Amino acid sequence: TGDGVATMCGIAAIIATGGGAADAAVVRRMTDSIRHRGPDDVGYLVSGPVAFGFRRLSILDLTPSGHQPFVSADGTCTIVFNGEIYNYIELRRELQSLGHTFRSTGDTEVLLHAYQQWGRECLPKLNGMWAFLIFDAKRGVVFGSRDRFGVKPLFRARTREHVMFASEIKAIRASGLCAARPNWALAAEFLCRSSLVAPDDTEATFYDGIDQVPAGGAFELTLDGRLTEWRHWSLDDVGRAAVSDPPATFFSLFEDSVRLRMRSDVPVGVSLSGGLDSTAILSVMARLREESGILPGDALHAFSYLSDEFDESAYIAQTIDRTRATLNRVEIDPATLWEGMDNVLAYHDEPLHSPTALISFEIYRLAARMGVKVVLCGQGADESLGGYTSYFIDYWCTLVRQGRLRRAWDEIGANVARHGGDRAALFRTVVGRVARMDVLGRIPAYRQAAARRRRGRERAGQLRWFTREITDALSDASPRWQDPSLDTALRRSVEVGPLPLYLRIEDRNSMAHSVEARLPFMDYRLITLGFQLPDDWKVRGPYNKFVLREALRGQIPEGVRTRIDKMGFPSPVQSWFRGPFHDALQDTLSSAATRERGIYDVRAIRADLERHRRGEITIGNALFNVAQFERWLALPGGATLPPPSPVAPTLADTSAMAPVSS
């Protein structure tokens, strides 16, 4: 059972920076819009220009002591907090030694006291996932922060007289204080280049005027609107370190991370594929439960999706047999997924990276139906430990740049022996890539020429699908130089993409069903260790995530530990658009709304859809992007017209009213 750790929830806030009072009705609308994030309790506090709202999902400490907004004993500080501080017990003991007293058992009060004791320097002391706001009435500031990797979301928007924060975009839109028109620059990158990352790597969203507090970010906002921001943590602060026994060190930290994330007063399950990461989590969970004396009849639930095209049943069966967990399979047909797309998009507020997100949504739906309110999943291992196939090339490039040509040749050979391929051709590719990136890539004119070549290829491909209203919004900026190395690739994966996107998928899909997702591999101690280790502990021969594989010797089925192919939770999107999705997309393209929008060359899309259906090309993901973008635009409050001209945001009435206490 738990020890009073905070609950997952949703937060909302409005700060009237124009000298007036915050409108309680506005923060209520914002908070009500994210009820799914916390159906168990609601709280508000309005104090002059500051209004906080809170929705609670009770996971631990199910008593009223978990109610928020939480006000300090002296009445000077108020907090709304979404997340968990895993080391709150140790922090509470330290604070007690400094004279602090506590009236609750949870980590919310510990976090508030930590701020009162150390100010902004409390952040390096925290181990957890969080997004919080603290109104410090004595100093006249709102202090806020987001955890190191952005596991928990915090969106924001600013008008002439207000600053708003919320756990989801829909809460800011529900305020009625900002226009929140579609961000057509980001939409163009998505439609034409299948990218959900802003071209300038900012925290922009698909709505103009709404962005995110950066992962690892913190800020102070004065009541007259002056904003000070900084990074409280960065991978730049992590350097190489000597580790005597990397596998043993990694496993010890991983086991502790899983143990912390099993703390719960409600049932805990796991999202299981046939891969290394989720298998590791389930296996450690099962052993820790057994050691703690949990009765075998108290089932440990695993949730999986399997398709004929990507069959991982043999690997999953090995893990289920070893852990004696109860397997619950998501069984859903493509037509039902298509019909449910609007619902998923409404929870996400933004387009998805692939149909895999639709399947993940159903996994959390099944967990909720089974009464499991906490689900552990494996996000973060691939991006921090080199889990994708592309990282092999990055590692070999690193060796070539270091002048270790013989080692690169041997590593490529070991890889080819298991994965197949042409050793000499791969070696030439790696050497050529290093030469282009290290020599030519540093020359601005070369990067500009490369950008022009890319644009030419795009015009011959997907750009044909869109009118100039979209293509003219594409960024023409030449790509920035990046050194061709494994470390650079991993850093970008963690900080820019794809990890931030995958964290969004887990958060929205789980919270849509009032389920808490916990991510053992996102413990900052594990990610720090991964970046401290030499590259060959991440990629070696035919294996990625090498340190994890070595750490798991004897802990998981050997067939899974030594597996070299990767699936995750894949979706057979290519076959779907040759079958059940084909006619549905044709109907979308024929709709009056799609035609009136004026951003598509429907004939070009249809021609390529038929070529895809015949198997001449494979473009299922691009077709899915068009389909979901249209569905997203058609959501209530979405855009129904062609890209608009820039306009000033409209402001709703913000008349003052009497404060509302919590």
Side-chain angles (χ1 to χ4, degrees):
T1 61
D3 298 295
V5 179
T7 58
M8 288 299 97
C9 60
I11 62 177
I14 177 171
I15 296 90
T17 57
D23 190 336
V26 172
V27 81
R28 286 180 184 273
R29 285 200 305 270
M30 296 173 68
T31 307
D32 288 347
S33 72
I34 52 174
R35 183 184 183 279
H36 52 278
R37 296 188 71 91
D40 298 328
D41 188 23
V42 62
Y44 306 94
L45 183 141
V46 179
S47 178
V50 177
F52 283 171
F54 174 76
R55 297 288 329 193
R56 181 185 184 193
L57 174 63
S58 299
I59 300 295
L60 285 162
D61 186 12
L62 309 183
T63 70
S65 67
H67 182 81
Q68 294 184 39
F70 191 95
V71 183
S72 63
D74 62 4
T76 62
C77 290
T78 303
I79 185 172
V80 283
F81 163 48
N82 172 21
E84 296 190 19
I85 306 303
Y86 293 118
N87 63 331
Y88 78 101
I89 294 176
E90 293 77 11
L91 284 175
R92 184 169 59 197
R93 289 171 182 159
E94 182 177 358
L95 288 162
Q96 286 172 329
S97 72
L98 295 171
H100 291 254
T101 59
F102 294 86
R103 63 185 193 272
S104 71
T105 60
D107 59 348
T108 300
E109 188 178 10
V110 171
L111 176 55
L112 189 57
H113 278 257
Y115 167 75
Q116 291 181 300
Q117 176 67 38
W118 297 299
R120 65 170 63 180
E121 294 307 313
C122 70
L123 298 175
K125 293 177 172 289
L126 307 180
N127 179 2
M129 54 181 182
W130 69 81
F132 68 78
L133 300 168
I134 295 174
F135 174 38
D136 186 334
K138 184 184 299 183
R139 296 180 56 218
V141 300
V142 173
F143 171 62
S145 176
R146 197 167 171 219
D147 64 70
R148 293 170 177 85
F149 307 107
V151 176
K152 303 314 295 178
L154 187 58
F155 293 93
R156 61 188 177 184
R158 186 166 195 154
T159 69
R160 287 191 295 269
E161 296 182 352
H162 302 90
V163 179
M164 291 164 284
F165 298 94
S167 296
E168 295 185 16
I169 292 172
K170 62 175 58 63
I172 291 177
R173 298 184 69 205
S175 72
L177 299 182
C178 61
R181 298 179 181 274
N183 179 345
W184 290 100
L186 184 51
E189 294 292 323
F190 172 66
L191 290 170
C192 299
R193 293 170 178 161
S194 299
S195 174
L196 284 162
V197 178
D200 54 0
D201 293 348
T202 61
E203 300 297 324
T205 72
F206 272 74
Y207 290 93
D208 277 333
I210 301 178
D211 68 350
Q212 296 188 80
V213 173
F219 63 88
E220 285 187 346
L221 176 71
T222 62
L223 299 185
D224 61 0
R226 288 176 289 122
L227 180 68
T228 302
E229 297 186 84
W230 67 94
R231 293 291 296 270
H232 65 82
W233 193 86
S234 170
L235 285 173
D236 292 339
D237 302 327
V238 178
R240 300 293 192 198
V243 180
S244 60
D245 189 343
T249 302
F250 191 96
F251 186 79
S252 176
L253 289 176
F254 175 66
E255 184 180 53
D256 188 57
S257 178
V258 173
R259 180 184 61 80
L260 289 173
R261 285 157 180 82
M262 288 176 66
R263 285 179 171 175
S264 175
D265 290 328
V266 296
V268 178
V270 63
S271 177
L272 179 67
S273 73
L276 189 67
D277 309 331
S278 59
T279 299
I281 293 171
L282 178 57
S283 298
V284 170
M285 287 177 69
R287 184 172 53 77
L288 290 175
R289 282 164 52 95
E290 184 178 351
E291 291 175 355
S292 65
I294 294 178
L295 297 175
D298 184 5
L300 173 56
H301 287 278
F303 302 93
S304 294
Y305 170 81
L306 299 173
S307 68
D308 293 338
E309 293 89 343
F310 302 98
D311 185 7
E312 295 187 292
S313 58
Y315 298 108
I316 290 175
Q318 294 175 39
T319 302
I320 293 297
D321 182 65
R322 183 184 183 109
T323 60
R324 293 181 292 176
T326 298
L327 179 63
N328 304 276
R329 290 184 55 171
V330 169
E331 296 182 355
I332 189 166
D333 60 272
T336 304
L337 285 176
W338 182 275
E339 292 170 4
M341 193 188 308
D342 289 355
N343 192 38
V344 180
L345 290 169
Y347 280 112
H348 278 262
D349 294 313
E350 300 181 278
L352 313 168
H353 70 297
S354 80
T356 301
L358 302 178
I359 295 169
S360 170
F361 188 86
E362 296 302 324
I363 286 175
Y364 286 110
R365 185 200 300 274
L366 178 59
R369 189 181 304 138
M370 298 291 297
V372 176
K373 295 182 70 172
V374 175
V375 174
L376 274 60
C377 53
Q379 295 292 2
D382 287 327
E383 295 79 14
S384 60
L385 298 176
Y388 301 126
T389 302
S390 61
Y391 295 136
F392 286 114
I393 293 283
D394 296 317
Y395 174 51
W396 302 333
C397 284
T398 302
L399 294 175
V400 170
R401 293 182 80 224
Q402 294 171 345
R404 303 167 68 187
L405 301 182
R406 181 66 194 185
R407 177 66 181 273
W409 176 259
D410 291 342
E411 286 287 328
I412 293 172
N415 186 278
V416 166
R418 289 290 305 274
H419 292 276
D422 185 321
R423 183 185 199 179
L426 278 173
F427 186 79
R428 289 193 298 270
T429 296
V430 170
V431 172
R433 180 180 179 186
V434 171
R436 286 193 304 274
M437 294 297 293
D438 266 352
V439 180
L440 297 174
R442 297 176 184 270
I443 303 172
Y446 174 82
R447 297 201 302 274
Q448 293 167 3
R452 287 194 297 270
R453 289 194 299 272
R454 179 184 70 170
R455 193 62 177 265
R457 291 192 299 271
E458 290 172 341
R459 289 194 182 97
Q462 282 178 232
L463 254 61
R464 299 182 299 106
W465 294 5
F466 307 103
T467 61
R468 291 192 59 179
E469 283 86 353
I470 289 296
T471 59
D472 284 355
L474 282 170
S475 170
D476 275 326
S478 59
R480 290 174 294 177
W481 179 83
Q482 296 185 58
D483 66 73
S485 69
L486 179 60
D487 185 73
T488 296
L490 294 175
R491 285 171 181 266
R492 182 169 180 82
S493 294
V494 170
E495 295 180 332
V496 179
L499 183 57
L501 169 63
Y502 296 160
L503 296 178
R504 186 251 281 187
I505 298 298
E506 293 296 340
D507 176 82
R508 303 310 182 279
N509 279 351
S510 60
M511 297 305 291
H513 301 292
S514 303
V515 172
E516 174 182 323
R518 296 181 178 176
L519 316 176
F521 286 103
M522 293 306 305
D523 191 303
Y524 83 98
R525 298 170 298 170
L526 282 175
I527 292 185
T528 296
L529 176 62
F531 278 91
Q532 288 175 333
L533 294 175
D535 289 341
D536 62 356
W537 277 105
K538 284 158 270 192
V539 177
R540 189 178 301 186
Y543 294 114
N544 52 24
K545 294 185 285 194
F546 187 71
V547 66
L548 177 60
R549 294 177 188 272
E550 292 299 296
L552 294 173
R553 283 186 179 274
Q555 300 291 335
I556 67 173
E558 190 67 5
V560 180
R561 192 188 73 84
T562 58
R563 181 182 175 187
I564 61 173
D565 62 322
K566 180 176 178 59
M567 293 184 190
F569 281 107
S571 63
V573 63
Q574 309 304 338
S575 63
W576 286 350
F577 275 103
R578 294 184 176 111
F581 282 9
H582 175 274
D583 291 347
L585 179 56
Q586 288 283 24
D587 291 342
T588 298
L589 296 173
S590 299
S591 70
T594 299
R595 294 197 306 271
E596 292 171 4
R597 212 170 318 275
I599 63 175
Y600 305 106
D601 184 333
V602 172
R603 287 179 299 178
I605 299 175
R606 279 183 166 152
D608 284 351
L609 173 59
E610 294 309 313
R611 292 179 62 205
H612 174 86
R613 190 181 198 182
R614 294 192 298 267
E616 298 171 9
I617 55 176
T618 300
I619 54 169
N621 286 318
L623 294 169
F624 178 72
N625 288 348
V626 169
Q628 64 159 320
F629 188 73
E630 273 301 291
R631 304 281 284 273
W632 175 73
L633 287 175
L635 290 173
T640 58
L641 299 172
S645 301
V647 296
T650 57
L651 300 180
D653 177 45
T654 55
S655 55
M657 65 174 296
V660 178
S661 70
S662 61

